[in-house]
Amino acid sequence: QAEDGIRDIPKATKRAVIARDLKGEKFDSKKHHIDHIWPHSRGGSHTSDNLRVIPKKKNLQKGAKRPGLRDMF
């Protein structure tokens, strides 16, 4: 469920989001998820402005809810 749509994100976009958000830290799939700010299941895009790297635990807790104001920043 948490991986829905992730395979469809272009590799270059994934690399750019990881570089931007982790600032040199290595992406670890055990700790990190690439998250859609506006959920893909609700029409969110696979573009870097709608993607971010967040802790895996946080992503699994939030599900496919629309983002709140505090989630946008």
Side-chain angles (χ1 to χ4, degrees):
Q1 175 206 354
E3 294 293 319
D4 283 354
I6 297 300
R7 288 178 293 281
D8 301 330
I9 300 169
K11 287 183 181 176
T13 303
K14 285 183 195 178
R15 284 194 296 269
V17 170
I18 290 167
R20 178 194 70 203
D21 293 354
L22 295 182
K23 297 171 178 50
E25 182 185 344
K26 188 166 171 32
F27 182 86
D28 179 351
S29 62
K30 293 179 180 140
K31 293 188 331 187
H32 303 113
H33 270 182
I34 296 179
D35 174 54
H36 289 85
I37 297 168
W38 191 264
H40 184 250
S41 63
R42 295 179 176 261
S45 67
H46 290 323
T47 56
S48 61
D49 62 338
N50 189 48
L51 297 169
R52 62 185 174 176
V53 177
I54 65 171
K56 181 177 178 179
K57 184 176 180 181
K58 180 177 179 181
N59 195 33
L60 295 176
Q61 289 171 342
K62 75 180 193 70
K65 295 180 282 198
R66 290 192 311 247
L69 189 58
R70 97 173 35 153
D71 295 323
M72 301 294 259
F73 301 100

